[in-house]
Amino acid sequence: MPLSAAAITRCARELIEDDGLESLSMRRLAERLDTQAASLYRHVHNKEELVDLVADSLFGDFEPTVEHGPDDDWRSYLTRVATTYRAFLLDHKDAERVVAGRFAVGKNLVRLMEPMLETLRTAGLNERDSAYVLYLVVVHVQGFVLHEKAPLSASNAAGLSRELVLTTTRDLLEHFPDEDFPRVREAAPYLAEPGLDARFRYGLDLLLDGLALRIAESGSA
């Protein structure tokens, strides 16, 4: 296979999927591509530029999910995009670490942003509010997945399941003195609740409830 930026990006994605983002290096890529590391620099200037290309490649895979459905309003559309984006990041190893905080403009990222911004503008938001809401939704998803994939504790990192870690955590919280920590004790089952789907949707709904108020204010201005 001839070397090109696209071929190097594909190989980088495969390496990340297999061994994680920490494994990504020009030397490892050269070994996989059966070439010298120096040859890669003719197509990609450095590792950070390569991560930019990987990020845009990931956005390209996600792009079809931002197409509008026939019955979409702004809320159902943003809910679907956010929910599927979370699932996409969960399904790809270290994808959230590749894209979080990175604003490398490529053709795939721009194609993702356009329909989302159009939805927000059509809903009645101005240019600034549309851009800020887009940022908030994206950061909510990326930040949630970063949290979701991180080890809960040293024991979780060592191999103990999240469910067992959370059961132990709940028991610890419930055994603090009630006279000193009554609110912690009563909230313990929810603080250490194992499933995160409900928490994700709760946070997203709060964000969209606030957005609905802003859209209503825009319409009455």
Side-chain angles (χ1 to χ4, degrees):
M1 177 176 60
L3 274 182
S4 64
I8 294 169
T9 301
R10 283 195 299 272
C11 186
R13 284 193 57 178
E14 292 169 1
L15 181 58
I16 293 169
E17 286 283 357
D18 290 343
D19 300 322
L21 184 59
E22 289 90 350
S23 69
L24 182 63
S25 71
M26 302 305 266
R27 180 185 60 80
R28 289 283 305 275
L29 280 175
E31 291 173 356
R32 282 204 169 205
L33 291 165
D34 194 24
T35 188
Q36 299 297 313
S39 301
L40 304 182
Y41 291 106
R42 300 192 186 103
H43 307 278
V44 180
H45 290 127
N46 51 50
K47 178 181 172 180
E48 287 301 318
E49 182 180 288
L50 179 58
V51 177
D52 286 349
L53 294 173
V54 170
D56 199 59
S57 174
L58 285 165
F59 289 137
D61 285 354
F62 180 68
E63 182 186 346
T65 66
V66 301
E67 296 176 1
H68 278 270
D71 300 320
D72 278 334
D73 57 18
W74 68 264
R75 183 163 190 141
S76 63
Y77 173 74
L78 290 179
T79 298
R80 178 168 54 79
V81 170
T83 302
T84 55
Y85 187 33
R86 175 186 171 226
F88 177 81
L89 293 179
L90 286 172
D91 196 44
H92 291 78
K93 188 167 186 175
D94 284 348
E96 74 290 348
R97 296 178 58 204
V98 171
V99 299
R102 191 168 289 268
F103 194 24
V105 176
K107 61 181 181 179
N108 293 320
L109 177 59
V110 172
R111 287 172 181 160
L112 281 175
M113 292 192 297
E114 180 64 26
M116 295 179 71
L117 290 169
E118 175 62 26
T119 296
L120 294 166
R121 292 287 283 126
T122 301
L125 296 181
N126 61 33
E127 298 92 330
R128 189 203 67 172
D129 287 354
S130 296
Y132 283 11
V133 169
L134 172 60
Y135 177 83
L136 284 173
V137 171
V138 169
V139 168
H140 174 67
V141 177
Q142 292 176 351
F144 196 93
V145 175
L146 281 166
H147 171 88
E148 197 168 2
K149 285 190 178 181
L152 288 167
S153 63
S155 56
N156 185 214
L160 193 65
S161 73
R162 292 179 67 92
E163 290 75 15
L164 285 175
V165 169
L166 288 169
T167 298
T168 302
T169 300
R170 185 190 65 212
D171 290 343
L172 287 171
L173 293 172
E174 289 177 337
H175 281 84
F176 277 95
D178 190 51
E179 61 272 17
D180 295 326
F181 304 101
R183 299 310 180 199
V184 170
R185 284 176 58 108
E186 71 182 10
Y190 307 104
L191 292 170
E193 199 172 48
L196 291 178
D197 291 350
R199 294 185 192 217
F200 176 79
R201 186 57 187 264
Y202 183 80
L204 181 61
D205 282 343
L206 285 180
L207 191 158
L208 297 181
D209 286 346
L211 177 55
L213 292 175
R214 178 56 61 93
I215 289 174
E217 290 171 1
S218 299
S220 61

